[in-house]
Amino acid sequence: DIQMTQSSSSLSASVGDRVTITCRASQSISSYLNWYQQKPGKAPNLVIYAASSLQSGVPLRFSGSGSGADYTLTISSLEPEDFATYYCQQSYSTPYTFGQGTKLEIK
Amino acid sequence: QVQLQESGPGLVKPSGTLSLTCAVSGGSISSRNWWSWVRQPPGKGLQWIGDIYHGGSTNYNPSLRSRVTISVDKSRNQFSLTLNSVTAADTAVYYCARVDYYDKRFDPWGQGTLVTVSS
């Protein structure tokens, strides 16, 4: 199985901050990397797919980058509604696997 | 706009069988997509269970393969999950999701259904 490791389990930030969440795969996953936002009691919501493609309807302050085994999700200027848990996921090969999640909290 | 809705019992006894259905609306299950199940134990992360294509091809997580079956019912535009010999460790919110055939993005997701394994 491909292991996905997010650098932080939690992150504190303020409204207006620029935030970067990183994710590392145990091998190259050729940009088959998705990012999801999950709020309490809700299903995950796709934010970025194929490493850098913005899902329709997602604000432009979200962006993704990376290649090989290393990927990042950046929020350019945090809004109150962005405080949530973010998961990376590799869809390069089955079993598809997720990172452990990064909880973005208000400082 | 495609929507997914999970349904099934919220309580299953230990050693019993968990059975859930995901109804697809606003689109055809015979479209060029895979259809997946993902679960999330309370307070924990996400685990992919498996997926199915409308032709019947399946992929399963090896950690669950011996206990899992995913099937599709094209006439009802739905797919189903069966998990045998459940224990408390199978207590989780179960989600269904559409998986794009080409880029393998998971979107949309159902709202999720909590299944508790308890006597």
Side-chain angles (χ1 to χ4, degrees), chain A residues 10 20 29-31 43 52 71 75 80 83-84 86-87 89 97 104 107:
Chain A
S10 65
T20 296
I29 54 173
S30 300
S31 297
S52 59
Y71 299 88
I75 309 171
F83 291 94
Y86 292 85
Y87 293 93
Q89 177 217 19
T97 47
L104 185 51
K107 185 183 289 185

Side-chain angles (χ1 to χ4, degrees), chain B residues 7 13 17 25 29 31 36-37 41 58 67 76 91 101 118:
Chain B
S7 62
K13 294 186 187 304
T17 297
S25 60
I29 203 165
S31 59
S36 193
W37 288 98
T58 54
R67 299 193 292 131
R76 295 187 176 185
T91 293
Y101 185 87
S118 175

Side-chain angles (χ1 to χ4, degrees), chain A residues 12-58:
Chain A
S12 294
S14 301
V15 172
D17 284 354
R18 179 184 180 89
V19 168
T20 296
I21 299 171
T22 62
C23 177
R24 172 168 286 179
S26 57
Q27 65 177 74
S28 174
I29 54 173
S30 300
S31 297
Y32 281 91
L33 189 285
N34 306 314
W35 289 98
Y36 301 90
Q37 177 194 69
Q38 187 177 35
K39 296 181 178 179
K42 300 295 186 181
N45 185 52
L46 179 67
V47 177
I48 297 289
Y49 65 96
S52 59
S53 295
L54 188 67
Q55 174 67 2
S56 176
V58 174

Side-chain angles (χ1 to χ4, degrees), chain A residues 4 20 43-44 48 51 58 65 78-79 86 88 92-93 98 103-104 106:
Chain A
M4 304 300 294
T20 296
I48 297 289
V58 174
S65 64
L78 278 171
E79 295 288 341
Y86 292 85
C88 62
Y92 177 73
S93 66
F98 294 84
K103 186 174 184 179
L104 185 51
I106 300 174

